[in-house]
Structure formats: C-alpha cells, structure tokens
Amino acid sequence: MAPTASFTRTCSDFEPAGFILPDLVSDCHYPLRLNPHCYPVSRASEQWLLNGARLVEPRISKFMGLHAGELTAACYPDADAFHLRVCSDFMNWLFNMDDWLDEFDVDSTWGMRECCISAFRDPIHFRTAKLGGKMCKSYFSRFRKTGGPGCTERLIHTVDLFFIAVAKQAEDRAKGRIPDLESYITMRRDTSGCKPCFALIEYAARIDLPDNVMSHPVIIAMEEATNDLVTWSNDIFSYNVEQSRRDTHNMIVVLMCTQGLSLQGAVDYLGQLCTGTVQRFEDNRAILPSWGEELDKQVAIYVEGLQNWIVGSLHWSFDSTRYFGKDGCIVKRDRVIKLLPKRPL
C-alpha cells in the first residue's frame, strides 16, 4: 500500500511541499552482491580522488558521503582488487567531473573534453596542468595494461560522448532551454556517464567482445534499457536537490513542462517508465541470439553486468548522501520527500 502524506502548500496552490517516490527498489528482484574487496579498495580510491582533485571543505565532506566505491563494488562484484580499483577510480573521477562540469560554461567544458581525451590517447606522454586530465592519465595508464582493444576504444568513445552531451547541457542551461522529451532522453543517455561504465563491465571481467556483438540491436536495446533505468530513477532521486538549485536538466521537469503534469504526476509517470525499462531488458534477454558457445558465455557475463548496474544503482542511491543526505534509510522505507527551499536567484 502506497504511503500517504498530508503536505501543506507553500507560495501558491500550484507549488507542492513534497512528493512520494515510486517503490522502484521493491520492484527490482535482481540479487544485490558486493565485491569482497569493496572497503579497502573504496577507501584507497577515495584518497586518490581527494589528492588528485585537491578538494577542500565543504567538497571533501560531500565527496566522502558519495560512497561511489560501494556503487562500484555492487556493479562489478566479481572483479579482482586491481580491476576494481581502476573501476573505482574512474567512478570517483566521473562523479567529481560531473560536479565540476555543473559549474563550467560551454567553452570550459570543451577544454576539459580535449584535455581528457588527449590523456586517453596518450596517457604516458601527454602533459597537462588540468587536474581532471592528470587523473585520467593515472587510471587509464592502469586500465590499458589489461583492457582489450575493443573495450578500450569503447571507453574512450563513450567518455567523449559524455563530454559532448554535457557541453550541450551547459548551452541549454545558459540559455534557459528545456529540451523536448525525445531529445532529453537521447542526451541523458550520454550525460549519465553510463556508457563508459558499461565498457568497464568488459574490463572488469577480462573480456573483449567483438564489434559485431556489441553493435547487435538486442545488445544495444539491453544497454539502453539499463541506461534508462539508471538515469530515469536518478532523475527521480536527484530531483529535490536539483530543483533547490534551479537545475532543469531532469526528466521530471521535462515531463511537467511538455506533458502538463503535476510534480507527483510526473514522478508517478516516470516511475512507470522505469518499471517498463526492466521489462524491456528482460524481453530482449529472452531473444538474445547465439554467437557460439565461448562468445555466449562472455555475452552472459556482460548481460549480468548490466543487471548488476540496475540493482546496484537503485540500492546505492539511498546509501549515498548525494540525494537524501543522512536520511536515505528513512526515505527508502517511507518514500516521502519534502522539497528543499530554492536557492536565491
């Protein structure tokens, strides 16, 4: 039975004081597993990021509450310590980069993109003063020791897509534009950073799937279903923090503006879409083609990795302080969100 809440109105009759989260965690029946190397690797990776990004308070406290290492351990539960550490460093870098880019204009975003992609292309000889690029050199020089050629190129290409999409987001933010739903969904699949994280599934498992497998429509459909679940649920979980800072790059905002939905109506609608992504994932799993016994085993590992991302991201969203502060356990249980006040203009 859905929880009820008697929210008072603030400012006007059209501005609610809160909303109810859809019960996405209970609807997800995939097993949640945690890598046995989680805690020592997570703590070492956190220190790496703190040193590399030169964070100071209050960013240090905010970062330490992120618990990206725990998300990494849930998404790559079978990786050995070396590969988990590279994945964890990437994840910490990605979250920190996302926070930095929120404050960048379009030109600065393009400059960071050029720096980081150059670091990927030549992590040994490329020189840069940018902290983001230096961290790229650090984790990617370790990545390429065991990353296969296909996996490596996929990581570089998808990180590039991330920067391109974030630059478009920065342009929209500067001009106060809210994209239509179809454009937003396409852009969000890249701004999420999920695509390079999917390349890390291959890396962590020491496999390198051929291009004809990775470009198959069923594999692409499963990746998109996973990406959509992770990103759309994230838009629900992050909405409160984002609305407080007047950020409009969120699917709830798009739905309210383009579909004329109320806040709760948009949240409920998006929750239904999230449930549909899991069904889409399973429908495509049922029609996976065969590429032969050996490749089929590797594909099964990759598909399980996508599944780990679905369940791992849902649970981690409440364990991290990024979205619900220290109230994650309570919010996970009660699903009641009280809107934060908006920052002054």
Side-chain angles (χ1 to χ4, degrees):
M1 185 174 182
T4 59
S6 55
F7 291 118
T8 58
R9 300 287 176 172
T10 60
C11 298
S12 76
D13 289 342
F14 302 101
E15 188 171 341
F19 61 94
I20 306 297
L21 293 174
D23 195 5
L24 300 178
V25 173
S26 296
D27 289 341
C28 182
H29 303 294
Y30 299 139
L32 177 68
R33 297 188 295 130
L34 201 66
N35 192 295
H37 304 291
C38 172
Y39 295 109
V41 169
S42 296
R43 301 297 83 81
S45 184
E46 286 168 351
Q47 194 59 52
W48 172 85
L49 190 285
L50 290 173
N51 293 338
R54 299 177 188 171
L55 298 186
V56 296
E57 291 292 359
R59 289 183 182 269
I60 292 176
S61 296
K62 179 182 176 183
F63 169 72
M64 293 304 292
L66 175 64
H67 301 309
E70 281 78 350
L71 173 62
T72 310
C75 294
Y76 312 100
D78 299 311
D80 62 28
F82 175 84
H83 289 79
L84 183 67
R85 172 61 193 276
V86 173
C87 292
S88 191
D89 286 358
F90 175 84
M91 294 281 280
N92 278 318
W93 171 86
L94 183 63
F95 274 110
N96 188 72
M97 181 60 65
D98 189 53
D99 287 342
W100 277 349
L101 294 177
D102 278 343
E103 302 172 4
F104 280 19
D105 60 17
V106 176
D107 289 342
S108 298
T109 301
W110 284 116
M112 184 61 78
R113 174 216 182 197
E114 180 180 357
C115 170
C116 292
I117 297 303
S118 297
F120 282 144
R121 292 301 180 191
D122 189 2
I124 303 302
H125 300 104
F126 176 68
R127 294 289 180 263
T128 179
K130 293 183 184 292
L131 300 180
K134 288 182 176 181
M135 287 186 283
C136 281
K137 285 165 56 72
S138 171
Y139 68 72
F140 193 73
S141 62
R142 286 172 279 137
F143 174 97
R144 70 177 195 165
K145 289 179 180 179
T146 59
C151 170
T152 300
E153 193 56 39
R154 278 186 281 278
L155 181 76
I156 297 172
H157 175 63
T158 52
V159 168
D160 198 20
L161 292 177
F162 164 75
F163 277 111
I164 293 169
V166 171
K168 177 65 168 62
Q169 177 188 344
E171 183 181 328
D172 286 347
R173 184 169 57 234
K175 296 182 178 180
R177 286 192 305 233
I178 297 176
D180 61 74
L181 184 59
E182 184 177 353
S183 299
Y184 177 82
I185 289 173
T186 300
M187 188 195 311
R188 190 70 175 95
R189 287 170 178 165
D190 288 325
T191 61
S192 69
C194 280
K195 291 179 180 179
C197 295
F198 297 164
L200 292 180
I201 296 172
E202 295 179 80
Y203 168 77
R206 306 289 295 274
I207 59 177
D208 192 41
L209 292 166
D211 289 341
N212 68 302
V213 171
M214 297 306 289
S215 62
H216 193 281
V218 173
I219 295 293
I220 292 174
M222 296 186 79
E223 290 175 337
E224 288 184 346
T226 305
N227 197 335
D228 290 345
L229 183 282
V230 174
T231 55
W232 297 350
S233 63
N234 180 262
D235 277 8
I236 295 173
F237 300 147
S238 65
Y239 173 78
N240 195 18
V241 172
E242 290 177 2
Q243 66 83 27
S244 73
R245 65 181 187 228
R246 303 177 186 272
D247 189 342
T248 59
H249 187 73
N250 187 296
M251 195 160 166
I252 292 175
V253 176
V254 175
L255 287 170
M256 287 193 290
C257 291
T258 62
Q259 309 291 326
L261 297 173
S262 66
L263 172 56
Q264 188 63 59
V267 170
D268 292 343
Y269 182 76
L270 188 48
Q272 293 171 0
L273 291 181
C274 287
T275 301
T277 63
V278 179
Q279 187 59 54
R280 197 183 345 145
F281 182 85
E282 288 301 327
D283 289 346
N284 280 281
R285 195 207 300 254
I287 59 171
L288 268 172
S290 174
W291 288 275
E293 183 178 356
E294 185 55 39
L295 267 182
D296 287 353
K297 290 179 182 177
Q298 295 182 25
V299 169
I301 292 171
Y302 184 72
V303 169
E304 184 179 4
L306 294 175
Q307 175 181 296
N308 290 334
W309 257 99
I310 291 174
V311 65
S313 66
L314 286 175
H315 285 274
W316 165 82
S317 297
F318 297 94
D319 296 334
S320 171
T321 62
R322 190 172 178 88
Y323 310 115
F324 308 115
K326 296 180 180 180
D327 297 329
C329 290
I330 297 172
V331 173
K332 191 176 188 180
R333 182 193 67 205
D334 297 340
R335 302 181 3 243
V336 176
I337 301 296
K338 181 179 179 181
L339 289 183
L340 297 167
K342 285 185 171 60
R343 294 180 184 175
L345 289 171

